[in-house]
Amino acid sequence: MQFDDDADLDTSEVQDVRGSRIPGGRATVGGGIVGIIALILGLFFGVGPEQLGLSSGAPDATPTASSAAQVEQDCRTGQDANNRDDCRTVAVVNSVQDYWEQEFRRRQGTYTPSRTILFSDRIGTACGSATSAVGPFYCPGDRKVYLDLGFFDELRTKFGAGGGPFAQAYVVAHEYGHHVQDLMGTLERSQDGRTGADSNAVRVELQADCYAGVWAHHATTTPDGATGRPLITSLTQTDIRDGLDAAAAVGDDRIQEKFQGRVAPESWTHGSAAQRQQWFTTGFRSGDMADCNTFR
């Protein structure tokens, strides 16, 4: 995956609070996949923060200004995105939101941008306070995406994904798929408290994978709002394989087998490795979000 070296990045879409102190933050989420499952249950099924080991999400549990603010200072151009993980995240966020803004407009709708918050260790959100152990997540309470860049290392070391720039892009695009669902009123369909292979929770996650594929289909042709040129200039089959590999690595069956030693479809919240790959591929091949109806 390559970005236009001369493109200007819009850092206003990403807030860098890495190294910040979170006032009142007292998150105690368990590590690894336990934290991921706990957070998904909390966000989508209405479980209270205290029940999940999260803080109460009091109004003062918000990030302070970052003393480093590395993104704003250092991520200026597409060339920076080609060289740094944090700048690459900015560029992917820009590209994803450029696409969805144009797609919503084409459908006579209005896309409301979502900010990505880069944090380290712990963060306060409208959905409660969480540690980086929960992995990347979207909070419908404040309509923001939260990401500790250390997750990309864990994707390789803990979950066995091959890695690569597009594996990271897939993760970001998936979270923005949830934002699209939130804007369209689909996200709330997962709030029925059920888990399992046929649950709405799984259908929501698979649809977000499909939306990530739809964006990938258009990534090299979506014009940047400032330059009129695509921000992403190259996306290869190797990149797509990296994305599919990442999707499979976080399939419920793969995770359960690795961390529990057995597969329990009745407790699935995200779908199997094969399902996640299938729905990303569906979106990527067609480029049409209408083909992402996982609720049929």
Side-chain angles (χ1 to χ4, degrees):
M1 182 171 64
Q2 290 290 314
F3 300 93
D4 177 2
D5 281 342
D6 298 324
D8 293 327
L9 302 185
D10 182 1
T11 57
S12 70
E13 294 184 351
V14 177
Q15 183 180 5
D16 186 0
V17 298
R18 290 173 292 174
S20 299
R21 182 180 63 83
I22 305 304
R26 44 188 169 85
T28 57
V29 176
I33 190 58
V34 174
I36 295 175
I37 293 174
L39 185 70
I40 294 299
L41 289 173
L43 297 188
F44 293 163
F45 301 142
V47 180
E50 294 88 349
Q51 294 171 270
L52 300 173
L54 301 175
S55 79
S56 61
D60 67 341
T62 54
T64 61
S66 172
S67 59
Q70 296 176 50
V71 159
E72 184 176 354
Q73 294 175 9
D74 299 333
C75 299
R76 302 289 188 177
T77 68
Q79 185 175 24
D80 297 327
N82 284 323
N83 295 324
R84 292 176 50 143
D85 282 355
D86 51 359
C87 300
R88 182 182 302 118
T89 298
V90 175
V92 171
V93 169
N94 290 171
S95 175
V96 169
Q97 298 211 101
D98 281 343
Y99 170 70
W100 287 115
E101 181 179 5
Q102 293 165 35
E103 179 64 11
F104 269 58
R105 188 185 311 124
R106 188 181 72 83
R107 294 172 175 269
Q108 286 77 53
T110 301
Y111 177 79
T112 304
S114 168
R115 221 176 192 190
T116 287
I117 311 298
L118 298 183
F119 73 100
S120 55
D121 298 328
R122 63 179 61 190
I123 189 72
T125 81
C127 299
S129 293
T131 70
S132 57
V134 302
F137 62 95
Y138 172 78
C139 173
D142 54 27
R143 288 187 164 173
K144 293 178 181 178
V145 173
Y146 292 87
L147 172 64
D148 186 327
L149 293 175
F151 174 76
F152 296 139
D153 291 328
E154 291 194 347
L155 194 57
R156 295 190 303 271
T157 60
K158 286 189 177 181
F159 297 97
F166 192 76
Q168 300 174 13
Y170 153 75
V171 170
V172 174
H174 172 93
E175 297 306 331
Y176 274 90
H178 287 316
H179 179 56
V180 170
Q181 292 170 323
D182 195 17
L183 295 177
M184 296 181 69
T186 311
L187 194 60
E188 63 188 21
R189 296 182 69 168
S190 63
Q191 295 176 346
D192 58 7
R194 294 178 57 245
T195 62
D198 295 323
S199 67
N200 283 340
V202 167
R203 295 177 191 276
V204 160
E205 294 297 331
L206 296 178
Q207 187 176 64
D209 283 333
C210 189
Y211 285 166
V214 169
W215 160 75
H217 176 95
H218 296 280
T220 59
T221 58
T222 298
D224 177 69
T227 67
R229 303 188 306 270
L231 181 55
I232 297 176
T233 59
S234 174
L235 197 61
T236 68
Q237 285 302 311
T238 298
D239 292 322
I240 299 304
R241 283 197 298 270
D242 287 344
L244 288 169
D245 184 57
V250 290
D252 282 324
D253 53 342
R254 292 272 188 94
I255 290 173
Q256 288 179 339
E257 181 67 34
K258 184 177 182 64
F259 293 97
Q260 299 174 187
R262 64 182 183 88
V263 176
E266 68 277 5
S267 63
W268 285 3
T269 58
H270 285 64
S272 69
Q275 287 176 312
R276 302 198 70 166
Q277 288 185 322
Q278 172 196 338
W279 281 102
F280 176 87
T281 300
T282 295
F284 179 67
R285 285 179 175 170
S286 76
D288 186 350
M289 66 184 300
D291 291 332
C292 295
N293 184 1
T294 58
F295 294 90
R296 288 180 294 198

